[in-house]
Amino acid sequence: MNFSLSYLSGLIGRSWAMLFASGGFRVKLYDIEQQQVTNALENIRKEMTFLEQSGSLKGSLGAQDQLSLISGCLNIQEAVEGALHIQECVPENLELKKKIFARLDQIIDDQVVLSSSTSCLLPSQLFAGLAHVQQCLVAHPVNPPYYVPLVELVPHPETAPATVDRTHALMRKIGQSPVRVLKEMDGFVLNRLQYAVISEAWRLVEEGIVSPSDLDLVMSDGLGMRYAFIGPLETMHLNAEGMLSYCDRYSEGMKHVLKTFGPIPEFSGATVEKVNQAMCLKVPADPEHLAARRRWRDECLQRLAKLKRQMPSQ
């Protein structure tokens, strides 16, 4: 397809490049260091070869055809030439990101979408004062993006609806699951839910209600299995005779429990030592063991993603 998309060549940038190539789009990986670009292209080649061999490569094209769509670039002007979508993937540093978007704002036309992969910075901070602000939004992926398809689309207050619509369609085209966050809020949606779970998990361990290992088991062998296929609201709907029945039956009990929730944890002191000790017993915190566990996690996510694709849609 006659599209060109530009990125930065870190871990998330490489994942985006693979996803867009899987949809048949031409991709330019941009970075200021040649070695970063070279390493990124080599890592992508190895990963795509492995995915094809394991039957998990996305898209209708083979690995070599997808790889032929991805190239590297050290010149930002050249990188954005002809692009219809630019996905920024630099570290979570507001000033760095603003500097990059200010530079892009000077060289793009009125058609390209400027998108950030940020997980926590608000669009109103990132895109303030840009001439092309109507073309800007956040498209926040979930790590690792190739196996976890959710993408949060978060507009700036001045983002044009067409920008969100175009990006939503693009994400669907490459097999992702975009959700529209209707207005910006700290943490967007995913991290607000994640932090709520982490906060209560921490309090339960801190107060001696459950051990760290059993706490994780509650999620991995309990809630997590269900939530891999349906969300909390549909869970409520199915756990009674519909949502109205659930709220009528369980709302008082839920409110009683919610009133017992404690303050925001400090994530420090004796509790962090306790949790760290439990985690290190399971996965020692050295690079080799952590990398091996991440590979195992990614393989599990890969198999789960394949299962979800095979399940009949309702």
Side-chain angles (χ1 to χ4, degrees):
M1 299 184 70
N2 61 341
F3 287 85
S4 176
L5 303 109
S6 307
Y7 309 89
L8 279 295
S9 64
L11 175 61
I12 298 300
R14 296 198 302 268
S15 297
W16 277 120
M18 292 168 59
L19 286 167
F20 283 110
S22 76
F25 295 98
R26 289 189 293 114
V27 181
K28 289 181 184 177
L29 273 170
Y30 167 77
D31 204 291
I32 59 174
E33 296 183 10
Q34 178 62 59
Q35 194 59 48
Q36 280 287 96
V37 173
T38 301
N39 291 345
L41 293 173
E42 177 61 17
N43 286 332
I44 289 171
R45 185 191 64 79
K46 290 179 180 178
E47 186 69 13
M48 281 192 171
T49 301
F50 167 77
L51 290 167
E52 186 170 55
Q53 291 172 347
S54 62
S56 299
L57 185 70
K58 291 187 174 184
S60 59
L61 299 175
Q64 287 304 315
D65 288 335
Q66 292 189 30
L67 286 168
S68 71
L69 295 171
I70 305 173
S71 60
C73 184
L74 298 177
N75 183 294
I76 194 169
Q77 185 85 43
E78 178 187 335
V80 304
E81 186 177 353
L84 292 183
H85 183 98
I86 298 172
Q87 188 73 34
E88 167 273 315
C89 306
V90 302
E92 291 288 82
N93 180 300
L94 177 59
E95 293 308 312
L96 175 60
K97 287 180 182 286
K98 288 178 67 175
K99 181 178 179 181
I100 288 171
F101 281 114
R103 174 70 177 121
L104 290 168
D105 194 41
Q106 296 173 344
I107 60 177
I108 63 168
D109 59 25
D110 294 335
Q111 301 302 315
V112 66
V113 170
L114 286 181
S115 178
S116 175
S117 300
T118 183
S119 62
C120 62
L121 299 174
L122 297 177
S124 58
Q125 298 173 310
L126 287 172
F127 309 128
L130 297 186
H132 295 89
V133 65
Q134 292 189 334
Q135 299 160 228
C136 298
L137 81 168
V138 166
H140 170 227
V142 184
N143 192 32
Y146 199 87
Y147 305 123
V148 184
L150 184 80
V151 181
E152 295 180 292
L153 304 182
V154 191
H156 183 280
E158 297 179 50
T159 300
T163 299
V164 181
D165 291 343
R166 278 179 54 190
T167 309
H168 190 279
L170 180 60
M171 294 298 127
R172 293 289 299 271
K173 168 70 176 174
I174 63 173
Q176 298 302 87
S177 300
V179 296
R180 300 172 189 259
V181 180
L182 301 180
K183 59 182 180 180
E184 65 176 27
M185 174 175 279
D186 286 324
F188 310 147
V189 176
L190 184 141
N191 276 331
R192 292 184 74 87
L193 291 173
Q194 178 172 240
Y195 294 165
V197 171
I198 289 173
S199 180
E200 183 56 20
W202 199 269
R203 284 192 295 261
L204 289 169
V205 171
E206 191 164 59
E207 294 174 12
I209 306 300
V210 66
S211 70
S213 58
D214 278 353
L215 185 288
D216 273 359
L217 203 62
V218 169
M219 182 61 71
S220 64
D221 282 14
L223 291 175
M225 294 187 70
R226 186 160 59 191
Y227 287 168
F229 294 91
I230 60 174
L233 300 182
E234 187 177 352
T235 296
M236 294 168 68
H237 193 60
L238 297 182
N239 279 1
E241 303 307 313
M243 181 62 74
L244 296 179
S245 171
Y246 187 95
C247 290
D248 182 63
R249 189 181 304 177
Y250 299 116
S251 62
E252 290 304 314
M254 285 193 294
K255 289 188 286 185
H256 173 76
V257 172
L258 287 168
K259 289 176 182 177
T260 68
F261 281 32
I264 298 171
E266 291 297 327
F267 302 106
S268 62
T271 305
V272 74
E273 294 296 331
K274 180 179 181 180
V275 173
N276 180 61
Q277 184 178 25
M279 294 301 101
C280 288
L281 280 175
K282 187 171 188 178
V283 185
D286 60 80
E288 184 177 351
H289 283 91
L290 291 172
R293 187 64 170 176
R294 291 186 191 109
R295 287 193 296 270
W296 174 85
R297 175 204 65 188
D298 290 354
E299 183 179 349
C300 291
L301 290 171
Q302 177 185 329
R303 294 185 181 187
L304 178 60
K306 183 183 293 187
L307 173 62
K308 285 171 69 72
R309 289 195 299 270
Q310 294 170 348
M311 294 294 291
S313 59
Q314 297 291 328

